[in-house]
Amino acid sequence: MINLGTAAFIQDDHETAAYYYLLSRSGGMNISSDITLHAHRSAVFYRTGHMDYAVSDGEQAWNMIEAGETMIPGIEMDNEIRFYVLSNILESLYAGESEAFDPAFRMYANLPVNDLQDRANRAAVLSNIGRLDLAIEESALLLEDMPGNPQIENNHCYMLHQAGRDEEALEYCLSALEKSPDAPHIMHSLATVFAALGRCGEADMLMEEARAISPSVALYHEPLECAPAE
């Protein structure tokens, strides 16, 4: 079950990953494994609304970082592993108000960024834990280095929305969805911006499409607040 869940996680199929990861915890079992499993499960459970499990796996991964143990034969703890794991667990720890969040965030903020993928991950995580100014700065640098990338455009759009800059955000979401028209997470971002701008019908239609593609993602079932534009 764990291997099938991880295979789905690597393909960004969080719905399937959650199905198998939940089976891996069935019957009251909570198998302790290597640090990447707990990081992956924490990220998947957070995105699919299983917060108790998300926080539990996130705290387990953080404890392993503090202990300097990866539980991966032949692999020592280093900054690359710390960065990867923290990128996957910080949102769970933040949303679950875990005591582990503050020390985990301090470590994450001081880790070096080795490449563009690291910068993209950090920008997304910073956005999702409320550090918007830092996130938008990181994202703007990414847009300069990788213009036209739909994932970066989508993330930048949502960060600008979170900062209340929806008119600026709109062009990035539209561009991202044009390049990836079947991506439910981009539909959600654009729907959120439409709702903020009072374009309620367009927002509702996009959310229906996102739910049809990924029905088990809890975020897509949350109602959007929208007051029609005058």
Side-chain angles (χ1 to χ4, degrees), residues 33 62 94 124 142 147 197:
S33 185
W62 170 245
Y94 175 75
L142 281 168
L197 295 172

Side-chain angles (χ1 to χ4, degrees), residues 153-154 157-159 161-162 166-167 169-178 180-181 183-212 219-228:
E153 289 179 330
N154 173 68
C157 167
Y158 200 75
M159 292 173 203
H161 159 73
Q162 290 176 304
D166 291 287
E167 292 287 355
L170 183 60
E171 66 172 292
Y172 294 104
C173 269
L174 288 171
S175 178
L177 191 61
E178 182 179 3
S180 300
H185 62 291
I186 299 178
M187 294 176 189
H188 172 265
S189 298
L190 181 55
T192 304
V193 171
F194 276 150
L197 295 172
R199 296 167 63 170
C200 303
E202 292 164 288
D204 289 342
M205 183 168 53
L206 278 170
M207 288 306 298
E208 287 181 11
E209 290 185 52
R211 285 191 292 271
L219 183 63
Y220 302 159
H221 293 271
E222 295 180 7
L224 295 176
E225 294 184 11
C226 184

